[in-house]
Amino acid sequence: MYSFIARQPIVDINKRIVAYELLFREGYRNEFTSMDPERATSRLLIEHFFLTNVQGYEQTLYLVNFPYQSLVEQIPTLFPSHLLMIEILEDCPPSDELFDAVKSMNEKGYKIALDDFIPSPSWERFLPYITTIKFDIKQIAIADASEFIQAHKQYDLYYLAEKIESHQELEDAQKAGFDFFQGYFLYEPEIIRGKRIESSCFTVEQLKLAIHQSPIDFELIERLIRYDVTMSYKLMRFINAHLSQTFTSFEDAFHALGLDRIKLFISLSLTAAHELTPSVYYQTSMQRAHFCEQVAALNTFDLNIEHAYFVGMFSQLDKLLEHPLSHLIETLPLNRAAINALLKQEGTLGNILGLAIAYEKKDTSSIQWFTDKLALDSSLTDQFYINALDWSTPEYHHLRLEGKLLHQQ
């Protein structure tokens, strides 16, 4: 399965690209399909920021439309403020709860735009907290927009003219006092396709139940995420976007980010979820994860079991997402030992991963080489591999959720 996102450049008065508007698409057709706006926005955000944008957070400003409810819930605060400009859709009512949300997000450093703005006294109180006003010049005449610009000089506002479709419109908008410009005359939206991996149906169903419990069992949620490649990858990228520290465990990250924020992120991810497309790499990633954690748990080693687990889980991200593993790993908060294990198969973690791969390939000589190097009993690692094969199958879903390793039963 693939995701499709369109991005349309926004230029300044010198025609330099200064930002992009992200637009939801379901295929190569450059048009918005009929889909619930909340779901469309959720998919666009999750897929761009936490799944398909494998180069990490390039220093580019993105404008994204947000429906009313997502604004009131302050969903935009899940994303880096220096990369995101929040667009308030034109059909959002200027209510008190929206005003409070806008003021709060502004105070947190977020840039906010009024999209397809039609001047109204009810929006005046919002203007001190707004960064940019976008006028659709097909709906509001350039001359009328210019009047508004001149009448609101007391505010530190930028103005963007969209739907520019001719050189004359561009010139008129420049003379009228607009700062930025967008339209097919300048650039058409560019469709970007990215490989998408999905969570298992079991994980999605169980998370939907868990997130609505009262009180919420965050230990259960942690296990559900930990045993799902897609949710683990997205959450790791979310952690990396908001915390500067190296990953230790989901429990530590939950507390550092705040449980309310984690709940909001999970809810958004579930809204964006698709059905899982079966992949052999998905299941073997889970097998590697469990094999590696079993080995790392031995007293022989002084290793962080979580690091070993995620080295196994993320070792085939390049095959799942069809991008170089080195690019994908840059977006995750892993320590140097884990990174070296994944990219160079170095160190103790690298040897454990090498042993897992040798078992997959039924390469007896490599199995012997790695067990000797790690000073392990091959009969024990044989059992670990059998455990991993069983543990990764759907039949063991509930066993995994109890937080137990198969070999400990």
Side-chain angles (χ1 to χ4, degrees), residues 88-100:
I88 300 176
L89 282 170
E90 63 276 12
D91 60 358
C92 291
S95 65
D96 288 342
E97 63 176 355
L98 180 61
F99 177 76
D100 291 340

Side-chain angles (χ1 to χ4, degrees), residues 219-236:
E219 289 186 6
L220 172 61
I221 286 176
E222 180 188 345
R223 288 197 296 274
L224 281 163
I225 292 172
R226 188 178 185 271
Y227 300 138
D228 185 87
V229 177
T230 308
M231 282 300 299
S232 290
Y233 177 64
K234 287 190 289 190
L235 185 55
M236 282 281 205

Side-chain angles (χ1 to χ4, degrees), residues 27 89-90 124 126 147 160 181 214 218 227 249 272 290 330 334 352 356 389 409:
L89 282 170
E90 63 276 12
E124 289 290 322
F126 286 78
E147 272 188 37
L160 191 159
F181 312 89
S214 183
F218 278 97
Y227 300 138
S249 69
H290 188 48
E330 286 175 7
L334 300 173
I352 293 172
L389 291 176
Q409 305 311 303

Side-chain angles (χ1 to χ4, degrees), residues 90-303:
E90 63 276 12
D91 60 358
C92 291
S95 65
D96 288 342
E97 63 176 355
L98 180 61
F99 177 76
D100 291 340
V102 166
K103 187 176 179 182
S104 174
M105 290 187 287
N106 171 269
E107 290 169 351
K108 292 172 183 172
Y110 285 85
K111 303 175 184 70
I112 303 171
L114 295 175
D115 188 32
D116 291 348
F117 182 65
I118 296 176
S120 164
S122 57
W123 285 104
E124 289 290 322
R125 62 174 174 159
F126 286 78
L127 298 185
Y129 309 103
I130 299 299
T131 306
T132 302
I133 290 180
K134 297 180 68 177
F135 281 105
D136 179 344
I137 63 168
K138 298 298 184 281
Q139 292 185 1
I140 301 292
I142 291 176
D144 293 336
S146 181
E147 272 188 37
F148 182 91
I149 293 170
Q150 296 305 315
H152 290 80
K153 290 288 190 181
Q154 71 271 33
Y155 297 112
D156 188 18
L157 289 166
Y158 292 98
Y159 294 92
L160 191 159
E162 55 181 338
K163 304 286 179 65
I164 298 287
E165 294 180 2
S166 70
H167 182 73
Q168 186 62 55
E169 287 178 342
L170 178 61
E171 276 194 353
D172 291 345
Q174 289 172 337
K175 291 174 183 176
F178 281 95
D179 304 286
F180 303 109
F181 312 89
Q182 179 182 2
Y184 274 56
F185 173 71
L186 297 162
Y187 291 97
E188 293 187 16
E190 171 195 10
I191 300 288
I192 300 170
R193 188 185 80 159
K195 190 72 167 62
R196 187 178 66 219
I197 54 173
E198 298 303 331
S199 298
S200 72
C201 294
F202 178 85
T203 300
V204 171
E205 290 168 4
Q206 293 299 314
L207 275 174
K208 284 180 178 177
L209 293 172
I211 207 71
H212 291 109
Q213 288 180 353
S214 183
I216 293 176
D217 183 352
F218 278 97
E219 289 186 6
L220 172 61
I221 286 176
E222 180 188 345
R223 288 197 296 274
L224 281 163
I225 292 172
R226 188 178 185 271
Y227 300 138
D228 185 87
V229 177
T230 308
M231 282 300 299
S232 290
Y233 177 64
K234 287 190 289 190
L235 185 55
M236 282 281 205
R237 290 196 61 169
F238 178 64
I239 292 167
N240 200 43
H242 292 281
L243 297 178
S244 57
Q245 64 206 52
T246 300
F247 176 82
T248 52
S249 69
F250 281 146
E251 181 182 4
D252 290 344
F254 281 14
H255 288 293
L257 290 166
L259 298 181
D260 288 342
R261 207 175 195 188
I262 292 296
K263 179 183 176 183
L264 203 59
F265 174 76
I266 293 168
S267 296
L268 184 71
S269 296
L270 294 176
T271 302
H274 296 258
E275 289 187 11
L276 176 69
T277 303
S279 166
V280 64
Y281 300 120
Y282 196 99
Q283 185 160 344
T284 54
S285 295
M286 297 302 297
Q287 291 168 11
R288 290 184 187 184
H290 188 48
F291 180 87
C292 290
E293 75 172 336
Q294 288 180 90
V295 176
L298 294 171
N299 293 332
T300 312
F301 305 108
D302 182 21
L303 295 171

